[in-house]
Amino acid sequence: PPPEYDPVVRGPPPVEASPAMHPAIRAPPAWQREFDSPAPTQPHQAHPGGPNRMLDSSNLYAFRATGGVKAVLFTALDETPEIWNRVALSNRSLCSFWSVRASEAGLMSTFDVTRQQLPRIMCVREDGSRSVFEGSVSLRALTAFIRQECAAAPTPAAGRAVEGGGQPPSRFDLFQDA
C-alpha cells in the first residue's frame, strides 16, 4: 500500500472550507475589516498632543513656556524607548514629558549633556533648576523619581502673592457672576 494510506481511518477525505459553506465565512463581520489594513510603513511617532513630545530647536520656546515640572529623556536612539512611553502615560497628569535625540547637539549642550552620558533623564523645574536621574532604569524607579520631583516642586500658585491674602483666582472664576 502507498505510505499516505492509513487502513484505520475510514470515511470521506476532509473537506476544505469554501465561502459557500457557511454565511459567516461568506461575509466576515464588519469589525474584522479593521485587521485587514496593511501594516504601517512608517515607525510610530509621538503624537504632538500625546504624553511624550519631541524636543528640538523648533519647539524650545514652547518647552520653556510649559509650566510645572518637565521630564526630559536624552537618547541616542531614533525611536523613543517603550519604557519612557509607559512612564509618560502613567504620570502624564504630574508633569510634561519630552525626548531629545542625540542629533540635537545644540539642545544637548544647552542642558550640559554629552553623547557619552546617554541615555540621561532629567527633570527641569519652572525656576530652571534641574535634577538628574541616577539609578537603574526600571518602570518602578523612573516613576518614583518623577513623582518625587513633582512633589518637591512648588506649585505655580504657591510662589505668587495674592492681593488681599485670599486664594489665587481659579480658572472657573470667569464663569462666576460679578
Side-chain angles (χ1 to χ4, degrees), residues 105-118:
L107 280 177
M108 289 184 50
S109 65
T110 300
F111 289 98
D112 300 322
V113 176
T114 63
R115 193 170 180 88
Q116 291 77 25
Q117 295 172 322
L118 300 180

Side-chain angles (χ1 to χ4, degrees), residues 48-84:
N52 181 36
R53 293 175 262 184
M54 295 303 301
L55 178 59
D56 54 22
S57 56
S58 68
N59 63 356
L60 183 59
Y61 180 77
F63 172 81
R64 289 183 174 151
T66 303
V69 176
K70 298 170 275 284
V72 185
L73 166 70
F74 297 89
T75 180
L77 301 175
D78 291 334
E79 292 187 22
T80 304
E82 183 60 30
I83 191 168
W84 187 247

